[in-house]
Amino acid sequence: MTDPRVDGNELAGPLREVFAVDITAARCRCAGCGRSGAVAELQVYDRAPGLVGRCPECTAVVLRLVRGPGRAWLDLSGLSYVECAIPES
């Protein structure tokens, strides 16, 4: 019997497709209260070292984005999912 697992490099192509779309049009669900809506509906605070997106319903932090020279950190731990349309190829 062979091992069915492969390493994380298998995600390169599929994730490139997902992260190449306008993510603000994607739907997301707050892990705290369960509200679903477009990423564009989040309340965004930009007066910090990065961007903080909060749920418009319960105000929980659902997204954090911090950029530095040549890199970015993205925390989506406040979301239970992000659903985005991917163009057919």
Side-chain angles (χ1 to χ4, degrees):
M1 192 164 169
T2 61
D3 189 347
R5 297 174 293 177
V6 294
D7 68 24
N9 289 310
E10 189 70 21
L11 297 168
L15 286 177
R16 177 171 285 164
E17 290 176 359
V18 171
F19 282 101
V21 300
D22 176 7
I23 202 70
T24 61
R27 295 191 57 75
C28 61
R29 177 180 290 156
C30 174
C33 72
R35 181 191 184 277
S36 293
V39 172
E41 296 172 0
L42 296 177
Q43 297 172 341
V44 177
Y45 295 83
D46 63 355
R47 306 252 192 306
L51 300 172
V52 174
R54 290 183 173 269
C55 173
E57 183 72 25
C58 71
T59 70
V61 173
V62 297
L63 178 152
R64 293 178 190 93
L65 175 61
V66 177
R67 294 194 56 156
R71 65 187 65 233
W73 293 264
L74 177 60
D75 173 9
L76 301 174
S77 60
L79 296 174
S80 58
Y81 73 78
V82 176
E83 174 190 357
C84 56
I86 298 175
E88 296 290 327
S89 49

